[in-house]
């Protein structure tokens, strides 16, 4: 059975807390807190806190009158009442939270996307990884320093030991966003302008040499950069003829879930949003 869903896999935000001493004391006996460790290295957050669900809270007491607290969490782990309420208690201390990172995950269940090709509107660094069986395992587009990074991987392969043997294909397209232009940019559709194609069948009149070239470029896409302009243009045209677009397109899936995603973040941050620009964007 085929199914496509969209979720938020990670959120990070910066905020200001006026009374860090009281905030820190409130965490010391909190059962939601797993470990607290300190750092004296210049430039680091001096207090790092790990929560029982994997969430992180970081405090920089050196930043006077500036954003001095960072929170990083996966909204999907706040599924229990205790963890959700405890995170809200922490966020209630914050003033003017500003989102600095958000990861959107689109999951394709029952789709075999092992031959998916991804293209972005502007040229970005791409890395392709294969499993020992020589099957595609993941594609990474972009770098950690950019405002967008795309991770495409076989989620079913990674989760196989936790799933039934007859579990269908499960592939994930993950968009990691950061460095937002403004508050209204938080939920701008990050998949717009991207192309996601799957090989259909080669036209009967296509030359065997061209077929071999396209198959080779599918396995090693970094070789596109070594081709001459005319050859590259001709092969791209042939590639389009031999491809079909992924349906539904991730941009359409994102739009379908967009209001639910906004509502999910709003519910977590609502204790601190009343006087924040973040609130207006939602």
């Amino acid at each position: 059975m085929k199914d496509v869903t969209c979720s938020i896999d990670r959120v990070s935000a910066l905020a200001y807390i006026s009374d860090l001493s009281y905030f820190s004391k409130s965490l010391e006996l909190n059962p939601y807190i797993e470990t607290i460790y300190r750092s004296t290295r210049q430039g680091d957050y001096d207090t790092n806190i790990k929560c029982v669900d994997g969430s992180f809270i970081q405090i920089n007491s050196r930043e006077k009158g500036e954003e001095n607290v960072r929170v990083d969490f996966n909204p999907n782990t706040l599924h229990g009442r205790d963890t959700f309420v405890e995170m809200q208690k922490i966020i209630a201390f914050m003033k003017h939270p500003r989102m600095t990172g958000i990861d959107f995950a689109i999951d394709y269940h029952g789709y075999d996307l092992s031959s998916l090709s991804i293209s972005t509107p502007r040229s970005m660094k791409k890395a392709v990884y294969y499993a020992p069986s020589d099957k595609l395992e993941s594609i990474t587009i972009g770098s950690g320093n950019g405002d967008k990074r795309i991770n495409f991987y076989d989620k079913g392969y990674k989760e196989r030991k936790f799933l039934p043997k007859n579990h269908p294909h499960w592939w994930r397209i993950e968009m990691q966003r950061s460095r937002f232009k403004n508050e209204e940019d938080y939920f701008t559709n990050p998949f717009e302008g991207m192309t996601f194609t799957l090989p259909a069948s080669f036209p009967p009149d296509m030359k065997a040499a061209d077929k071999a070239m396209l198959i080779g470029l599918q396995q090693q896409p970094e070789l596109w950069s070594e081709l001459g302009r005319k050859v590259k243009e001709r092969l791209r045209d042939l590639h389009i003829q031999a491809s079909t677009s992924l349906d539904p397109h991730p941009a359409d899936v994102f739009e379908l879930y967009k209001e639910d995603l906004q509502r999910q973040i709003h519910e977590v941050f609502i204790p601190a949003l009343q006087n924040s620009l973040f609130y207006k964007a939602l």
Side-chain angles (χ1 to χ4, degrees):
M1 179 177 176
K2 292 185 176 181
D3 185 31
V4 185
T5 59
C6 181
S7 62
I8 295 175
D9 197 47
R10 174 180 167 270
V11 169
S12 62
L14 288 173
Y16 171 67
I17 293 181
S18 56
D19 192 342
L20 286 177
S21 177
Y22 180 65
F23 175 66
S24 299
K25 288 181 180 179
S26 72
L27 299 177
E28 291 178 357
L29 299 177
N30 191 326
Y32 180 53
I33 304 305
E34 182 176 285
T35 56
I36 300 177
Y37 52 99
R38 317 284 181 180
S39 174
T40 57
R41 297 198 318 180
Q42 191 67 28
D44 287 356
Y45 287 92
D46 48 84
T47 303
N48 298 272
I49 302 159
K50 182 180 178 182
C51 304
V52 295
D53 62 351
S55 299
F56 279 94
I57 304 160
Q58 296 178 297
I59 301 172
N60 188 349
S61 60
R62 307 182 189 97
E63 294 292 341
K64 304 299 182 182
E66 303 289 342
E67 294 171 326
N68 54 13
V69 174
R70 177 178 179 271
V71 61
D72 189 304
F73 64 92
N74 181 341
N76 300 307
T77 66
L78 302 178
H79 50 75
R81 181 180 183 279
D82 290 340
T83 55
F84 184 83
V85 170
E86 292 303 329
M87 177 57 77
Q88 281 195 318
K89 289 179 181 178
I90 291 168
I91 289 175
F93 280 89
M94 300 179 181
K95 294 182 179 180
H96 314 300
R98 176 175 62 89
M99 190 179 296
T100 56
I102 180 170
D103 295 355
F104 297 107
I106 298 186
D107 292 307
Y108 285 82
H109 298 272
Y111 289 71
D112 182 3
L113 303 185
S114 58
S115 56
L116 184 69
S117 177
I118 304 174
S119 298
T120 54
R122 57 185 174 85
S123 179
M124 300 174 70
K125 183 179 179 182
K126 180 183 291 188
V128 183
Y129 304 94
Y130 294 91
S133 61
D134 208 30
K135 292 183 178 180
L136 177 66
E137 186 175 280
S138 66
I139 298 174
T140 299
I141 303 174
S143 65
N145 297 324
D147 59 348
K148 290 182 181 180
R149 180 185 172 105
I150 302 102
N151 292 316
F152 168 67
Y153 55 94
D154 185 353
K155 183 75 170 177
Y157 175 80
K158 292 179 177 294
E159 302 290 343
R160 185 68 63 205
K161 63 181 179 180
F162 302 109
L163 300 172
K165 291 183 179 180
N166 62 347
H167 191 275
H169 299 288
W170 178 7
W171 289 84
R172 169 170 288 186
I173 300 172
E174 182 180 84
M175 176 69 73
Q176 299 176 348
R177 292 207 57 205
S178 60
R179 298 180 183 176
F180 301 99
K181 297 176 181 178
N182 50 50
E183 291 78 13
E184 295 180 356
D185 190 30
Y186 293 153
F187 290 94
T188 298
N189 194 323
F191 301 99
E192 289 286 356
M194 298 180 63
T195 58
F196 301 82
T197 55
L198 291 162
S201 58
F202 293 119
D205 58 344
M206 185 180 291
K207 296 179 181 179
D210 290 336
K211 294 179 184 178
M213 286 281 284
L214 289 174
I215 293 173
L217 289 167
Q218 176 69 37
Q219 297 296 319
Q220 293 184 281
E222 68 275 8
L223 294 178
W224 280 101
S225 62
E226 300 182 20
L227 299 175
R229 182 178 60 83
K230 291 185 177 180
V231 175
K232 188 184 297 185
E233 290 177 352
R234 184 176 65 81
L235 288 175
R236 286 198 185 280
D237 289 340
L238 292 174
H239 177 70
I240 292 173
Q241 295 177 33
S243 302
T244 180
S245 296
L246 176 61
D247 185 28
H249 191 284
D252 296 331
V253 178
F254 180 86
E255 288 298 328
L256 182 64
Y257 280 84
K258 182 176 178 178
E259 290 187 4
D260 290 337
L261 301 179
Q262 290 175 314
R263 189 178 303 111
Q264 183 182 25
I265 298 302
H266 179 274
E267 289 177 353
V268 178
F269 280 92
I270 199 169
L273 295 185
Q274 282 74 11
N275 297 318
S276 172
L277 293 175
F278 185 97
Y279 183 80
K280 298 177 182 178
L282 299 175

